[in-house]
Amino acid sequence: MRDFFKLNSYLAGLHFQNAVYLVINKSANTIDDYIAAYKKKKYYWFNHVKNKLCFFIQEKDTPELYKLK
């Protein structure tokens, strides 16, 4: 959650155009759960993050690109 907070801050406060989050040994469903918990705790959420933040997930052998829903 701390890294996700930082990426939100960089996108909003420092006006980064895009951010990439590299995730190893976690599934897309786990990422969705983490983000839901993040939002539920009312941590900082930049409204436009969906369009600017990408995840590269390597759960098994083949990495995948994942976008926020």
Side-chain angles (χ1 to χ4, degrees):
M1 285 189 191
R2 188 172 44 189
D3 290 336
F4 192 72
F5 172 79
K6 287 179 193 176
L7 291 177
N8 268 286
S9 299
Y10 296 159
L11 288 166
L14 298 176
H15 306 290
F16 278 32
Q17 291 183 4
N18 296 294
V20 176
Y21 200 116
L22 179 63
V23 181
I24 306 293
N25 294 326
K26 301 284 185 215
S27 69
N29 289 336
T30 301
I31 300 305
D32 284 336
D33 292 343
Y34 285 160
I35 293 171
Y38 180 93
K39 288 180 177 179
K40 186 175 181 178
K41 291 184 179 189
K42 304 219 183 268
Y43 290 146
Y44 180 75
W45 179 257
F46 176 51
N47 287 330
H48 301 296
V49 76
K50 283 175 50 172
N51 302 327
K52 297 180 175 243
L53 178 59
C54 295
F55 291 81
F56 283 107
I57 297 176
Q58 175 100 33
E59 180 185 8
K60 298 183 179 157
D61 296 334
T62 308
E64 64 177 286
L65 177 62
Y66 176 77
K67 292 282 230 170
L68 293 174
K69 297 176 185 170

